[in-house]
Amino acid sequence: MVIILKSDPDKNKVDNLRLWLEERGITAHETVGISKTIFGLVGDTGSIDIDALRALDIVEDVKRIQEPYKLANRKFHPDDTIIKIGDALIGGGNFTLIAGPCSVESEEQICAIAERVKASGAVLLRGGAFKPRTSPYSFQGLQEEGIRLLKKAREVSGLPIVSEITDSAQLPLFEDVDVIQVGARNMQNYELLRRLGKIDKPILLKRGLSATYEELIMSAEYIMSGGNQKVILCERGIRTFETYTRNTLDISAVPVLKKLTHLPVIADPSHATGSAELVIPVSKAAAAAGADGLIIEVHNDPANALCDGAQSIRCEDFEMLAGKLKTIAQCAK
Amino acid sequence: MVIILKSDPDKNKVDNLRLWLEERGITAHETVGISKTIFGLVGDTGSIDIDALRALDIVEDVKRIQEPYKLANRKFHPDDTIIKIGDALIGGGNFTLIAGPCSVESEEQICAIAERVKASGAVLLRGGAFKPRTSPYSFQGLQEEGIRLLKKAREVSGLPIVSEITDSAQLPLFEDVDVIQVGARNMQNYELLRRLGKIDKPILLKRGLSATYEELIMSAEYIMSGGNQKVILCERGIRTFETYTRNTLDISAVPVLKKLTHLPVIADPSHATGSAELVIPVSKAAAAAGADGLIIEVHNDPANALCDGAQSIRCEDFEMLAGKLKTIAQCAK
Amino acid sequence: MVIILKSDPDKNKVDNLRLWLEERGITAHETVGISKTIFGLVGDTGSIDIDALRALDIVEDVKRIQEPYKLANRKFHPDDTIIKIGDALIGGGNFTLIAGPCSVESEEQICAIAERVKASGAVLLRGGAFKPRTSPYSFQGLQEEGIRLLKKAREVSGLPIVSEITDSAQLPLFEDVDVIQVGARNMQNYELLRRLGKIDKPILLKRGLSATYEELIMSAEYIMSGGNQKVILCERGIRTFETYTRNTLDISAVPVLKKLTHLPVIADPSHATGSAELVIPVSKAAAAAGADGLIIEVHNDPANALCDGAQSIRCEDFEMLAGKLKTIAQCAK
Amino acid sequence: MVIILKSDPDKNKVDNLRLWLEERGITAHETVGISKTIFGLVGDTGSIDIDALRALDIVEDVKRIQEPYKLANRKFHPDDTIIKIGDALIGGGNFTLIAGPCSVESEEQICAIAERVKASGAVLLRGGAFKPRTSPYSFQGLQEEGIRLLKKAREVSGLPIVSEITDSAQLPLFEDVDVIQVGARNMQNYELLRRLGKIDKPILLKRGLSATYEELIMSAEYIMSGGNQKVILCERGIRTFETYTRNTLDISAVPVLKKLTHLPVIADPSHATGSAELVIPVSKAAAAAGADGLIIEVHNDPANALCDGAQSIRCEDFEMLAGKLKTIAQCAK
């Protein structure tokens, strides 16, 4: 940590600051520049409150030079984390496809899609049971019944299942779900993260709409600091000024998160773009950028297509896409 | 709602769409333009899933022309909502000051600040007990003990208290808190909002870091649709590319939210700016823009200033500010 | 400047870096922390290319601790710059109103508005002659004729005139214009800025849609480094995810820019909001935040209102507003 | 265009509006909904000023349903535009690599890099002569001499050259440059665009930092409406809240721009990321998303690496990358 002092600071206050730091086992190395003096701090600065230092009237600015996350930090854990879910592996050079419908609607729907996406190469089945919706008047998912149908589809297809939790009170319902997803809107629901740190189950953690890389990793750190090291990070688009697409997929997030952490990093092109026709090029892009996998919404084009979301591709599109993704993922290495 | 069809759409599919709409009691008025055909829908389109319509291959775009919120909508409730909390009134032309420390730290601290801010004109006392922190390693607030100390300060000062909830499991602890605050990070924690809709207590709902006006109002609608009409909206800065300030206070939010809804609208200059020296000008700006009040962090400048947040002003600054705010709030009318 | 080295850097490369710095008269003070080593640089680092340092494989990051602007910097010029234009003063505690139509349309229009806004307290007349329009098919302003009409209105009303330049080739036409405005889209048109640095005329420099405070000040520095010290900074809204308003007026820009620089800082509520009904509350907010003045679009409500922009208020609204702004500007001090 | 009227609008004003539209050859088809009335306009609405309509007090909102660009619109020109520059082709299924140093520094440097990148598969040489720099105190490029050296490198290598113009006054110097680049900061320098519309030379137009897709296309339309149809669009990252990377490459821009227009669309991973180590994965991503090519900064790793930008990869990295890009570009089809 580096403290930049204001010009001509009160000498007594500087001494007080130095003393206060020393009480905490931290030495301040002084560099007197032309117009400013800086303190380079030596010692464990992890517990120092930067905002408190910034509030001092002799301090102009404080700059952290060390990442605030430890368990998720690639520097301390150079090897890739590989998470095993049934027969599926995520991380460590594997390219893993997770697919399924936006919402679970019926046994026929979820089982049919499960079979189709498995045949095309998906190794995990996704499906929404609890749907966080902007409007209280919108359909909120089949909830408990949705989880039951997902398990049914797992039975039929053999695919482990992934579903989103929206409140810690739902945890008992997720006991037999293979991967618990934390959605973008709950990325900083710290009470929920803390609870998920106490269970032994992979957590698919989506980046919040306006979360920085560091904030996403700190949310992973919440889970990991509770004891659960099985966190999968997911880039799903951020909010920007561009409104043509629902969100803006931040493609650099993939290589950056893989550099900063040892956790698997996947992408969600469906929510990032909000448009079926963009899912295919953006999926390819994420694979090319080195993602460890993708989570894609797929629908089975029934007679009444009006019920399917704008962002889901058809099973046949998924099949064609899956083939090309393999080649691209190879080139990403 | 207006549906814009693609050029030369398949006639059968257009008929199917028209039929599907009619089954839902909606008539489609056709306007054939030079290059596009549009359907102006007549009927209750509230339950129609826009994304599903957009997913149809004959549809180019769908535009909603009606607000998706009802209970919070100024159009259906032209009069200002006025919320009474003890002797304090929020909304309806009153200008209400809420003040207090960032975190509750001790009985002496919270009681001393309560007395000081009351004397300066604050009518509600704020204080954090449960602190949502980006890092799992940071101080998370005094929690239950913090709530107890707040109540103590209420006893001493007579000021009703405001504190932030971070999980619905904490609700029993908030039974005797006068106003429950929902922080920016929980603005779309829909399970929590739903629970707050079932209680009879004012809710101070902060705008999320990347929430649009409409999304903030929809979150209020979640609470109101449960039966609790006492919602106070709070602009607290949004996330933009500018990083000099912690967030960017969106001053237009004040008049816009007051136009779109009948709910009281306040501003939080402390979190918006993250800097004590900006709290004063930005507070004045919010009052001038017509805010119904402000929530401001105040500290009592103890010997060891290192414990106070960078964004809190001192009690004496608050006192001077409060005087000017009265005049400005008059000019806002 | 502080250089943060990677862990276990190659010793030869570190020596090379130190040597390279010394050749440039810069000493590197080393602080060896637990996990990182930092160099605090002493000497004139102004000409060092940060990106080049960052590109070195032994360097993890480089942090600048000094502002890159000199002439505009409040630290080196503590007194407010006051700019005199005819009888009008901008800066130094004066509150200055600039008003006029979006576009100059006719002699009657511009002269009528000039008289009206002068009577209400405006001391400068604005009017667009060269209009930067997103579409090549839109009306681009009366251009040369517009400038001629503005001068006519100055003759009649006695108000000095402000108009926007969009290319340095137009400079001869602006010889007799009192204040030259640089629009948001040209804030980083460095060739234009350089040319404006060579003339002796106040420049009203608008913040770009996605420009940081520092970038805006650096653009002022371009003009000032050419010799022209008369720069007026203008906050006119930035681009964010919120699309209800045309832009998001960043109210904190006013106190921050006044702290960082000694230049006058005004705000443009008309372009910031894009809506006449928001101009009034947002104007008040900017005055309350300490702005040195405002530039406001005003129209004279002719029979055929279809020609006026959505963001212009009527002369009578401006009159009422101007009265309240005086009181508010007093409270801002 | 659709006009949404306010509830209970003044009947006379509605008739006036209808009349005003009819005078302009536009018929208003009325749809009376439950709470609102809308006008679907039939006729050429291209010249209607939306802001003027929005300013009417009977109008709640106006929604455009047609793109405001014509010459660049894929709907009216379904076939890909293919631009031929010497032996190089851009667009129409070709994958084109443009490479070279950030700045032209010396004859040795530019010629050496030209030979190397040509050998690796680049078909155009880029090099900055006029550098738009945030600071007036930074190196602004070799300017005229830089252009001369680029031509020298073209002579030696046979590669056509691409360089950035920063002011229309520089046009004579660019007479013999093969492709003129317009940088992000000048994307809305309309006077410059207009001048480039009058010459017969390909223009590489970069997206502004906060420009929407539509605004980028409208800037292309400025050039095209002048007569020059040879415009290459370039995604180079937008400004968001994430500051770890210099900008956020918007990968969806590639497929979206290719859908909306018939122009070639390339990406610039160097400026988008600002970091050499991210150039490789992001280049692959852009190729996978269907880009027609890439423009990449390459340096030749001299002894004194301090002079090279942080965002340039070495010639040997470029060579390895170019090989993989071919395979990926195939998978993008």
Side-chain angles (χ1 to χ4, degrees):
Chain A
M1 199 175 281
V2 175
I3 301 177
I4 300 142
L5 299 179
K6 287 192 181 151
S7 315
D8 293 318
D10 181 295
K11 251 190 109 47
N12 282 334
K13 291 187 173 176
V14 174
D15 290 343
N16 279 345
L17 171 59
R18 195 188 287 279
L19 213 73
W20 185 87
L21 289 165
E22 274 164 17
E23 279 166 13
R24 277 148 188 85
I26 295 164
T27 317
H29 276 233
E30 194 169 321
T31 300
V32 181
I34 292 176
S35 71
K36 309 220 177 165
T37 295
I38 67 168
F39 277 3
L41 305 192
V42 180
D44 179 14
T45 55
S47 60
I48 301 274
D49 183 348
I50 286 193
D51 283 341
L53 286 177
R54 280 208 186 103
L56 293 177
D57 62 7
I58 53 167
V59 169
E60 176 150 319
D61 204 356
V62 182
K63 294 183 191 280
R64 218 175 44 202
I65 59 172
Q66 215 161 322
E67 297 85 8
Y69 43 90
K70 297 167 194 173
L71 300 169
N73 200 329
R74 170 79 78 177
K75 282 188 190 144
F76 309 131
H77 308 78
D79 292 337
D80 280 2
T81 283
I82 303 175
I83 298 174
K84 193 168 158 36
I85 308 149
D87 295 332
L89 293 173
I90 306 196
N94 298 287
F95 185 76
T96 308
L97 285 175
I98 308 173
C102 175
S103 296
V104 180
E105 286 164 21
S106 68
E107 190 173 323
E108 297 72 46
Q109 175 235 25
I110 188 70
C111 292
I113 294 181
E115 302 269 29
R116 288 293 304 270
V117 299
K118 188 189 184 184
S120 305
V123 295
L124 285 129
L125 176 68
R126 60 145 289 147
F130 293 89
K131 304 293 298 174
R133 303 297 301 268
T134 310
S135 166
Y137 310 118
S138 298
F139 173 59
Q140 314 270 324
L142 288 184
Q143 313 210 353
E144 188 160 357
E145 170 69 0
I147 299 285
R148 197 185 63 78
L149 297 178
L150 269 174
K151 291 185 199 164
K152 192 86 194 174
R154 174 175 60 190
E155 220 179 284
V156 171
S157 67
L159 293 181
I161 54 176
V162 184
S163 202
E164 179 170 355
I165 196 169
T166 58
D167 192 68
S168 48
Q170 297 155 1
L171 263 173
L173 288 172
F174 282 76
E175 219 159 66
D176 193 26
V177 169
D178 303 284
V179 179
I180 299 182
Q181 179 180 315
V182 176
R185 292 184 183 86
N186 278 309
M187 192 203 86
Q188 295 190 314
N189 183 337
Y190 298 125
E191 298 303 324
L192 177 60
L193 299 179
R194 240 190 286 273
R195 300 283 281 278
L196 296 174
K198 296 296 176 199
I199 64 174
D200 179 28
K201 209 185 261 305
I203 308 300
L204 196 168
L205 179 65
K206 291 199 166 179
R207 181 181 186 187
L209 264 78
S210 60
T212 61
Y213 302 149
E214 191 174 293
E215 287 168 344
L216 171 58
I217 301 173
M218 289 308 285
S219 285
E221 190 86 5
Y222 257 92
I223 299 169
M224 299 170 84
S225 67
N228 183 357
Q229 309 301 312
K230 297 178 191 157
V231 181
I232 302 157
L233 302 177
C234 181
E235 163 63 29
R236 47 78 71 213
I238 56 173
R239 185 160 272 184
T240 69
F241 62 82
E242 177 61 73
T243 56
Y244 186 94
T245 48
R246 192 179 303 161
N247 297 287
T248 299
L249 188 116
D250 175 5
I251 196 72
S252 302
V254 173
V256 172
L257 292 171
K258 286 186 71 67
K259 177 192 167 198
L260 298 178
T261 84
H262 50 91
L263 300 172
V265 177
I266 67 170
D268 174 348
S270 305
H271 285 87
T273 64
S275 141
E277 67 185 328
L278 293 174
V279 166
I280 290 169
V282 170
S283 292
K284 292 174 179 173
D292 292 304
L294 295 170
I295 179 164
I296 299 180
E297 287 190 6
V298 172
H299 73 85
N300 58 348
D301 202 24
N304 187 356
L306 283 175
C307 314
D308 288 282
Q311 71 203 12
S312 301
I313 59 172
R314 291 170 308 156
C315 289
E316 39 275 47
D317 298 325
F318 179 71
E319 189 170 0
M320 285 204 303
L321 173 62
K324 297 206 168 174
L325 289 173
K326 268 190 208 168
T327 312
I328 294 174
Q330 276 305 320
C331 293
K333 284 178 187 174
Chain B
M1 200 176 278
V2 174
I3 301 177
I4 301 142
L5 300 179
K6 286 191 182 152
S7 315
D8 293 319
D10 181 294
K11 250 189 110 49
N12 282 333
K13 291 188 174 174
V14 174
D15 289 343
N16 280 343
L17 172 59
R18 194 189 288 277
L19 213 73
W20 184 88
L21 290 166
E22 274 165 17
E23 280 166 13
R24 278 147 189 84
I26 295 163
T27 318
H29 276 233
E30 194 170 321
T31 301
V32 181
I34 292 176
S35 71
K36 308 219 179 164
T37 294
I38 67 167
F39 277 4
L41 305 191
V42 180
D44 180 15
T45 55
S47 60
I48 301 275
D49 183 348
I50 285 193
D51 284 341
L53 286 178
R54 280 208 187 103
L56 294 177
D57 61 6
I58 53 167
V59 169
E60 177 152 319
D61 204 357
V62 182
K63 294 184 190 279
R64 218 175 44 200
I65 59 171
Q66 216 162 322
E67 298 85 9
Y69 43 88
K70 295 168 196 173
L71 299 169
N73 200 328
R74 170 78 78 177
K75 281 186 193 146
F76 310 131
H77 308 77
D79 292 337
D80 280 3
T81 283
I82 302 175
I83 298 174
K84 192 169 159 36
I85 307 148
D87 295 333
L89 294 174
I90 306 196
N94 299 287
F95 185 75
T96 309
L97 285 176
I98 308 173
C102 175
S103 296
V104 180
E105 286 164 21
S106 68
E107 188 172 325
E108 296 70 46
Q109 175 235 25
I110 187 70
C111 291
I113 294 181
E115 301 267 30
R116 287 294 303 270
V117 299
K118 187 188 183 186
S120 305
V123 294
L124 284 129
L125 175 67
R126 61 144 290 147
F130 293 90
K131 304 293 299 174
R133 303 296 302 266
T134 310
S135 166
Y137 310 119
S138 299
F139 173 59
Q140 314 270 325
L142 288 183
Q143 312 210 353
E144 189 160 355
E145 171 69 0
I147 298 286
R148 198 187 62 78
L149 296 177
L150 269 174
K151 290 184 201 166
K152 193 86 192 175
R154 176 176 57 189
E155 222 178 284
V156 171
S157 68
L159 293 181
I161 54 176
V162 183
S163 202
E164 179 171 354
I165 196 168
T166 58
D167 192 67
S168 48
Q170 296 154 2
L171 263 173
L173 287 172
F174 282 76
E175 219 159 65
D176 193 27
V177 168
D178 303 285
V179 179
I180 300 182
Q181 179 179 315
V182 176
R185 292 184 182 88
N186 277 310
M187 191 203 84
Q188 295 190 313
N189 183 338
Y190 298 125
E191 298 303 323
L192 178 59
L193 299 179
R194 240 190 287 273
R195 299 285 280 278
L196 297 174
K198 296 294 178 202
I199 64 174
D200 179 29
K201 210 185 261 303
I203 308 300
L204 197 168
L205 178 65
K206 291 200 167 179
R207 183 182 185 184
L209 264 77
S210 60
T212 61
Y213 302 149
E214 190 173 294
E215 287 169 344
L216 170 58
I217 301 173
M218 288 309 286
S219 286
E221 191 85 5
Y222 257 93
I223 299 170
M224 298 171 85
S225 68
N228 183 357
Q229 308 302 311
K230 296 179 191 156
V231 181
I232 301 158
L233 303 177
C234 181
E235 164 63 29
R236 47 78 73 213
I238 56 173
R239 185 160 273 184
T240 69
F241 61 83
E242 177 60 72
T243 56
Y244 186 94
T245 47
R246 191 179 304 161
N247 297 288
T248 299
L249 187 114
D250 176 5
I251 195 73
S252 302
V254 173
V256 172
L257 291 172
K258 287 188 69 65
K259 177 193 165 195
L260 298 179
T261 84
H262 51 91
L263 300 172
V265 177
I266 67 170
D268 174 347
S270 305
H271 285 86
T273 64
S275 142
E277 67 185 327
L278 292 174
V279 166
I280 290 169
V282 170
S283 292
K284 291 175 179 173
D292 292 305
L294 295 170
I295 179 164
I296 299 180
E297 286 190 6
V298 172
H299 73 85
N300 58 348
D301 202 24
N304 187 357
L306 282 175
C307 314
D308 288 283
Q311 70 203 12
S312 301
I313 59 172
R314 292 170 307 157
C315 288
E316 40 275 47
D317 298 324
F318 178 71
E319 189 170 1
M320 283 204 301
L321 173 61
K324 296 206 169 176
L325 289 174
K326 267 190 207 167
T327 313
I328 294 174
Q330 275 305 321
C331 293
K333 286 180 184 172
Chain C
M1 198 175 283
V2 174
I3 301 177
I4 301 143
L5 300 179
K6 287 192 181 150
S7 314
D8 293 319
D10 180 295
K11 254 192 102 61
N12 282 333
K13 291 187 174 175
V14 175
D15 289 343
N16 279 344
L17 172 59
R18 195 188 288 278
L19 214 72
W20 185 86
L21 289 165
E22 274 165 17
E23 280 167 12
R24 278 149 188 83
I26 295 164
T27 318
H29 277 233
E30 195 168 319
T31 301
V32 181
I34 292 176
S35 71
K36 310 220 177 163
T37 294
I38 66 168
F39 277 5
L41 304 192
V42 180
D44 179 16
T45 56
S47 59
I48 301 274
D49 184 348
I50 285 193
D51 284 341
L53 286 178
R54 282 210 184 100
L56 294 177
D57 62 7
I58 53 167
V59 169
E60 177 152 318
D61 204 357
V62 183
K63 295 184 190 277
R64 218 174 46 200
I65 58 171
Q66 215 163 322
E67 298 85 9
Y69 43 89
K70 297 168 194 174
L71 300 168
N73 200 327
R74 170 79 76 175
K75 281 186 192 145
F76 309 131
H77 308 78
D79 292 336
D80 281 2
T81 284
I82 303 175
I83 298 174
K84 191 167 161 33
I85 308 148
D87 295 332
L89 293 174
I90 306 196
N94 299 287
F95 184 76
T96 308
L97 285 176
I98 309 173
C102 176
S103 297
V104 180
E105 286 164 21
S106 68
E107 188 172 326
E108 296 71 46
Q109 175 235 25
I110 188 69
C111 291
I113 294 180
E115 301 268 28
R116 287 293 304 269
V117 299
K118 188 188 183 186
S120 305
V123 295
L124 285 128
L125 176 68
R126 61 144 289 148
F130 293 89
K131 305 294 300 174
R133 303 298 300 267
T134 310
S135 166
Y137 310 119
S138 298
F139 172 59
Q140 314 270 325
L142 287 183
Q143 313 210 352
E144 188 159 356
E145 170 69 359
I147 299 285
R148 198 186 63 77
L149 296 178
L150 270 174
K151 291 185 200 166
K152 191 88 194 175
R154 174 175 59 189
E155 221 179 284
V156 171
S157 67
L159 293 181
I161 54 177
V162 183
S163 202
E164 179 172 354
I165 196 169
T166 58
D167 192 68
S168 49
Q170 296 154 2
L171 264 173
L173 287 172
F174 282 76
E175 218 159 68
D176 193 26
V177 169
D178 303 284
V179 179
I180 299 181
Q181 178 180 315
V182 176
R185 292 184 183 86
N186 277 309
M187 191 203 85
Q188 295 190 314
N189 182 337
Y190 298 124
E191 297 303 324
L192 177 60
L193 299 179
R194 239 189 287 272
R195 299 284 281 279
L196 296 175
K198 296 295 176 200
I199 63 174
D200 179 29
K201 210 185 261 304
I203 308 299
L204 196 168
L205 179 65
K206 291 198 166 180
R207 183 181 184 185
L209 264 77
S210 59
T212 60
Y213 302 148
E214 191 174 294
E215 288 168 344
L216 170 58
I217 301 173
M218 289 308 285
S219 285
E221 191 86 6
Y222 257 93
I223 299 170
M224 298 170 85
S225 67
N228 182 357
Q229 308 302 312
K230 297 179 191 156
V231 181
I232 302 157
L233 303 177
C234 181
E235 162 63 30
R236 47 78 72 212
I238 56 173
R239 185 160 274 184
T240 69
F241 62 83
E242 177 60 74
T243 56
Y244 186 94
T245 46
R246 192 179 302 161
N247 297 287
T248 298
L249 188 116
D250 175 5
I251 195 73
S252 302
V254 172
V256 172
L257 291 172
K258 286 188 70 68
K259 177 192 166 196
L260 298 177
T261 84
H262 50 91
L263 300 172
V265 177
I266 66 170
D268 174 348
S270 306
H271 285 86
T273 64
S275 142
E277 66 186 328
L278 292 173
V279 166
I280 289 170
V282 170
S283 292
K284 291 174 180 173
D292 292 306
L294 295 170
I295 179 165
I296 299 181
E297 287 190 6
V298 172
H299 73 83
N300 58 348
D301 201 25
N304 187 357
L306 283 174
C307 315
D308 287 284
Q311 70 203 12
S312 301
I313 59 172
R314 290 171 307 157
C315 288
E316 39 275 48
D317 298 325
F318 179 70
E319 189 170 1
M320 282 203 303
L321 173 63
K324 296 205 168 176
L325 289 174
K326 268 191 206 167
T327 312
I328 294 174
Q330 276 305 319
C331 293
K333 284 180 186 171
Chain D
M1 198 175 281
V2 174
I3 301 177
I4 300 143
L5 299 180
K6 287 193 182 152
S7 313
D8 293 318
D10 181 295
K11 251 190 107 54
N12 281 333
K13 291 187 173 174
V14 175
D15 289 343
N16 280 344
L17 171 58
R18 194 188 289 277
L19 214 74
W20 185 86
L21 290 165
E22 274 165 17
E23 280 166 13
R24 278 147 188 84
I26 295 164
T27 318
H29 276 233
E30 194 169 319
T31 301
V32 181
I34 291 176
S35 71
K36 308 220 178 162
T37 294
I38 66 167
F39 277 4
L41 304 191
V42 180
D44 180 14
T45 56
S47 60
I48 301 275
D49 183 347
I50 285 193
D51 284 340
L53 286 179
R54 280 209 186 103
L56 293 177
D57 61 7
I58 54 166
V59 169
E60 177 151 320
D61 205 357
V62 182
K63 295 185 189 277
R64 218 173 47 198
I65 59 172
Q66 215 163 320
E67 298 84 9
Y69 43 88
K70 297 167 195 175
L71 300 168
N73 199 328
R74 172 77 79 175
K75 282 187 192 145
F76 309 130
H77 309 78
D79 292 338
D80 280 2
T81 283
I82 303 174
I83 298 174
K84 192 169 160 31
I85 308 149
D87 295 333
L89 293 174
I90 306 196
N94 298 286
F95 184 77
T96 309
L97 284 176
I98 309 173
C102 175
S103 296
V104 180
E105 286 164 21
S106 68
E107 188 172 326
E108 297 70 46
Q109 174 236 27
I110 188 70
C111 291
I113 294 181
E115 302 267 28
R116 288 292 304 270
V117 300
K118 187 189 183 185
S120 305
V123 294
L124 284 128
L125 176 67
R126 59 144 290 147
F130 293 89
K131 304 293 300 174
R133 303 296 301 268
T134 309
S135 167
Y137 309 118
S138 298
F139 173 60
Q140 314 270 325
L142 287 184
Q143 312 210 353
E144 188 159 356
E145 171 68 1
I147 299 285
R148 198 186 62 78
L149 296 177
L150 269 174
K151 290 185 200 167
K152 193 88 193 174
R154 174 175 60 189
E155 220 179 286
V156 172
S157 67
L159 292 182
I161 53 177
V162 183
S163 202
E164 179 172 354
I165 195 169
T166 58
D167 192 70
S168 48
Q170 295 154 2
L171 264 173
L173 288 172
F174 282 76
E175 218 159 66
D176 193 26
V177 170
D178 302 286
V179 179
I180 300 181
Q181 178 179 315
V182 176
R185 292 185 184 86
N186 277 309
M187 192 203 85
Q188 295 190 314
N189 183 338
Y190 298 125
E191 297 303 323
L192 178 59
L193 300 179
R194 240 190 288 270
R195 299 284 281 278
L196 297 174
K198 297 295 178 199
I199 63 174
D200 180 27
K201 209 184 262 304
I203 309 300
L204 197 168
L205 178 65
K206 291 199 166 180
R207 183 181 184 185
L209 264 78
S210 59
T212 61
Y213 302 149
E214 191 173 293
E215 287 169 343
L216 170 58
I217 301 173
M218 289 308 286
S219 285
E221 191 85 6
Y222 257 94
I223 300 169
M224 299 170 84
S225 68
N228 183 357
Q229 308 301 310
K230 298 179 190 156
V231 180
I232 301 158
L233 302 177
C234 181
E235 163 63 30
R236 46 79 72 214
I238 56 173
R239 185 160 274 184
T240 69
F241 61 84
E242 178 60 74
T243 55
Y244 186 94
T245 47
R246 191 179 304 162
N247 297 288
T248 299
L249 188 114
D250 176 5
I251 195 73
S252 302
V254 173
V256 172
L257 291 172
K258 288 187 69 67
K259 178 192 164 195
L260 298 179
T261 83
H262 50 91
L263 300 171
V265 177
I266 67 170
D268 174 347
S270 306
H271 286 86
T273 64
S275 142
E277 67 186 326
L278 293 174
V279 166
I280 291 169
V282 171
S283 292
K284 291 175 179 173
D292 292 305
L294 294 170
I295 180 163
I296 298 180
E297 287 190 5
V298 173
H299 73 84
N300 57 348
D301 202 23
N304 187 358
L306 282 175
C307 313
D308 287 283
Q311 71 203 13
S312 301
I313 59 172
R314 290 170 309 156
C315 288
E316 38 277 47
D317 298 324
F318 179 71
E319 189 169 1
M320 283 204 302
L321 173 62
K324 297 207 168 175
L325 288 174
K326 268 191 207 166
T327 314
I328 294 174
Q330 276 305 320
C331 293
K333 285 180 186 171

